Amino acid sequence: MPRSVTLIRSAALSDVAEYAYAATAPADARLVFLAGACPLDEDGATVAVGDHAGQAARCVANMRTALAAAGATLEDVISTRVLVASTRQEDLVTAWTVVREAFGAHDVPSTLMGVTVLGYHDQLVEIEAVAAVLDD
């Protein structure tokens, strides 16, 4: 399946960020809007309680599953938003490191933000994403 996402970098912006600053998809791409991937197991229980990295890993796994159901992969993701329930920057970086490693060289535009609370008991991390797919 051809990839439709083009990552854009600008020499006029700092290269400190570990992601592209923008991304595009052609007009004929099918957009896939994912609900926030949560750190829930198959029974709906929150996993890795108290563990930002463990919850981020489960969020990525659940996101992969949702993408597959839509005929997409992580390489089709055009942007993400990573929400971390914490006031500590270290916790945000811990979750971000897991997400960053999962995406590898496909470093899509992303927003990392600390929030006060998320929707499920003991939930610390949630990842929203948009993907773009070119169907055959």
Side-chain angles (χ1 to χ4, degrees):
M1 178 184 323
R3 298 289 172 218
S4 62
V5 176
T6 301
L7 301 178
I8 300 168
R9 291 164 178 78
S10 171
L13 296 171
S14 169
D15 63 357
V16 169
E18 297 179 337
Y19 47 81
Y21 279 102
T24 64
D28 58 340
R30 175 173 52 89
L31 296 180
V32 180
F33 297 88
L34 280 74
C38 299
L40 304 177
D41 66 15
E42 294 77 11
D43 296 322
T46 303
V47 303
V49 173
D51 178 5
H52 290 89
Q55 287 199 5
R58 185 55 182 244
C59 289
V60 170
N62 288 346
M63 184 170 52
R64 286 181 193 266
T65 299
L67 285 164
T73 69
L74 286 183
E75 290 75 28
D76 297 308
V77 171
I78 195 166
S79 68
T80 66
R81 181 177 303 140
V82 181
L83 310 171
V84 182
S86 179
T87 59
R88 295 173 7 114
Q89 188 176 29
E90 306 87 64
D91 296 335
L92 277 69
V93 171
T94 295
W96 172 250
T97 299
V98 172
V99 174
R100 175 78 176 98
E101 289 174 359
F103 277 89
H106 186 64
D107 56 348
V108 300
S110 192
T111 299
L112 173 64
M113 56 194 305
V115 299
T116 54
V117 67
L118 291 166
Y120 293 99
H121 291 292
D122 300 315
Q123 182 183 0
L124 300 173
V125 180
E126 187 164 334
I127 305 169
E128 298 176 8
V130 176
V133 178
L134 288 175
D135 293 316
D136 292 334

